[in-house]
Amino acid sequence: MAASPAYALIATDLDGTLLRGDDTVSERSLAALARVARAGARHLVVTGRPAPRVRPLLAYLGCTGLAVCGQGAQVYDALSGRLLWSVRLDRDLAETALGKIEAEVGQVYAAVDQDGVDGLTLIEPGYLMPHPTLPAVRVGRRDDLWCEPISKVLLRHATLSDDELAAIARVVVGSLATVTMSGPGTVELQPSGVTKATGLALAAERLGVAAQQALAFGDMPNDIPMLDWAGHGVAMANAHPELKAVADEITLSNEADGIAVVLEKLFPTD
């Protein structure tokens, strides 16, 4: 069967979007993605998780092509097991940005994702992982976070909400880094100008797919650039209000097979 004339690329976030709370994908959603593949369209994972934390999920989903990881800082090829493209966050810029944020809000707790297909997630004392299933290595002091090149910094504050911390960070950090919020307890600093849209655009170019042919699903403010880039952007029912405000469509939640509901309409049974 020929690919859908409307959408040749289905871009999905993972946490809060395709994945349920227990890191699984429902049988209905898996069946919908299989239907997309039979129609000739491609499924592309676009996630804030770094490549090392995505590889097991790609295997679980049966993805052997490209994936956009690290909030767009990495384009990973699952077939070859290597990064086709990656951008690092400069250590000095990261430390300067952290200093500006702490001068404004007091102490924050930081973690980093190291660059590379085998990079670790390092967390400093006091930092609590928002997603307990993701592996992390605790270091003794902040300076230890910079032992290897990194792709991003993750921040938490003891009393400020994610929205409050992200808003203040955007103002004080300015052009030093891109500030994103990708989930509960997950405010991040990544290389300036890098978003999910930049990584998705690179991957789509390699696949020969134009933005107008892309359908994107997400749930958090870090998905806004991706939904803006795609021909059609869908927010989950559980999405952050900022994302819902820019989405072309709102579907059911990640727990209620929201992605499958949309795909079943666009890709009829073969």
Side-chain angles (χ1 to χ4, degrees):
M1 182 183 295
S4 165
Y7 304 112
L9 180 65
I10 311 302
T12 67
D13 173 48
L14 288 178
D15 296 289
T17 303
L18 180 61
L19 295 180
R20 297 179 291 191
D22 61 357
D23 267 8
T24 62
V25 181
S26 72
E27 290 299 322
R28 183 179 177 185
S29 292
L30 289 172
L33 291 173
R35 183 184 300 188
V36 165
R38 289 194 298 272
R42 296 175 182 267
H43 172 220
L44 186 67
V45 166
V46 185
T47 178
R49 297 191 188 199
R53 308 289 89 79
V54 176
R55 286 187 294 177
L57 288 169
L58 295 177
Y60 164 60
L61 292 169
C63 296
T64 58
L66 303 184
V68 177
C69 309
Q71 304 292 11
Q74 301 171 326
V75 176
Y76 174 71
D77 181 3
L79 185 61
S80 66
R82 64 188 182 93
L83 290 172
L84 302 183
W85 183 80
S86 66
V87 181
R88 294 173 174 175
L89 177 59
D90 180 80
R91 168 186 172 161
D92 292 337
L93 290 180
E95 289 190 297
T96 299
L98 277 174
K100 287 180 174 291
I101 294 169
E102 290 190 317
E104 189 70 24
V105 304
Q107 184 177 14
V108 297
Y109 300 101
V112 300
D113 284 335
Q114 294 179 335
D115 189 35
V117 294
D118 296 312
L120 302 173
T121 297
L122 304 182
I123 57 178
E124 71 173 352
Y127 185 89
L128 298 176
M129 286 293 289
H131 205 305
T133 65
L134 295 180
V137 176
R138 189 169 297 279
V139 298
R141 55 180 184 158
R142 180 169 292 180
D143 282 350
D144 296 331
L145 297 176
W146 323 115
C147 63
E148 297 289 344
I150 63 170
S151 60
K152 65 179 178 180
V153 177
L154 302 91
L155 306 175
R156 301 196 74 167
H157 191 274
T159 59
L160 292 176
S161 69
D162 299 329
D163 289 291
E164 291 169 333
L165 179 58
I168 294 169
R170 288 188 186 102
V171 172
V172 300
V173 168
S175 62
L176 291 176
T178 297
V179 178
T180 62
M181 181 170 57
S182 61
T186 313
V187 175
E188 304 181 5
L189 306 177
Q190 59 199 71
S192 181
V194 172
T195 68
K196 283 191 174 184
T198 58
L200 176 55
L202 284 169
E205 183 179 9
R206 282 182 170 267
L207 297 172
V209 178
Q212 293 77 10
Q213 297 174 290
L215 172 67
F217 294 86
D219 75 307
M220 290 298 291
N222 64 320
D223 295 316
I224 290 175
M226 175 171 73
L227 266 63
D228 284 342
W229 179 87
H232 191 77
V234 182
M236 313 305 290
N238 52 288
H240 190 283
E242 290 181 14
L243 187 71
K244 287 183 177 179
V246 303
D248 299 305
E249 179 182 353
I250 298 175
T251 186
L252 299 182
S253 73
N254 61 318
E255 299 289 347
D257 298 316
I259 288 179
V261 169
V262 175
L263 295 182
E264 287 166 358
K265 294 176 181 177
L266 292 172
F267 296 85
T269 304
D270 49 10

